[in-house]
Amino acid sequence: MTGMVSNENGRIIIDSEAIAQYAGHAALDCFGIVGMATISMTDGLAKLLKGSNISKGVNVKIDDDNAIIIDFHIIISYGVNIRAVVDNLKKTVKYQVEDYTSMKVKEINVFVEGVRVID
């Protein structure tokens, strides 16, 4: 899937994977987020993703109106207020992705897949 932005010089095509990478890094900058998660097919447990695999915990869809829908699968820090962390993540990512792409973020869904104690 790709998104499109037009200006006086032509069109810009943005791949959903590029948006997922950017959104994942923006989310990691939020307080209380340990990382992105993927669910293991063998044991059903959430696994923490690192480095270039961050986008595997982020699913980006672009609808017919060229609006972005983002699903995050995250692991949060133990002891934080989940609602506060998720609200901050949504606000931060929405602002940064809209600024980055010049496209509208229609929806952000967050799935908390695990909790980790941070030393």
Side-chain angles (χ1 to χ4, degrees):
M1 262 183 273
T2 60
M4 185 179 67
V5 179
S6 296
N7 64 21
E8 65 277 354
N9 297 321
R11 292 185 296 185
I12 302 167
I13 307 298
I14 305 171
D15 189 77
S16 60
E17 176 65 19
I19 297 170
Q21 281 282 334
Y22 190 82
H25 286 286
L28 288 179
D29 287 339
C30 296
F31 172 79
I33 305 292
V34 174
M36 298 299 122
T38 186
I39 304 300
S40 169
M41 293 302 195
T42 56
D43 55 18
L45 298 174
K47 296 191 178 188
L48 183 64
L49 297 169
K50 298 268 185 182
S52 63
N53 290 328
I54 286 173
S55 65
K56 290 186 173 129
V58 182
N59 185 23
V60 172
K61 294 176 236 144
I62 300 167
D63 70 8
D64 295 335
D65 295 326
N66 202 44
I68 302 169
I69 300 165
I70 306 171
D71 293 340
F72 285 101
H73 296 268
I74 63 169
I75 296 176
I76 63 166
S77 299
Y78 175 79
V80 298
N81 181 304
I82 294 173
R83 184 175 182 134
V85 169
V86 170
D87 286 347
N88 180 46
L89 178 142
K90 286 182 171 185
K91 186 171 24 169
T92 300
V93 169
K94 180 177 175 20
Y95 173 78
Q96 289 189 16
V97 169
E98 286 181 348
D99 187 54
Y100 175 68
T101 63
S102 298
M103 295 169 61
K104 181 77 176 150
V105 174
K106 178 179 179 180
E107 187 176 314
I108 297 176
N109 302 301
V110 180
F111 303 88
V112 178
E113 303 291 355
V115 176
R116 294 276 166 98
V117 176
I118 304 301
D119 297 333

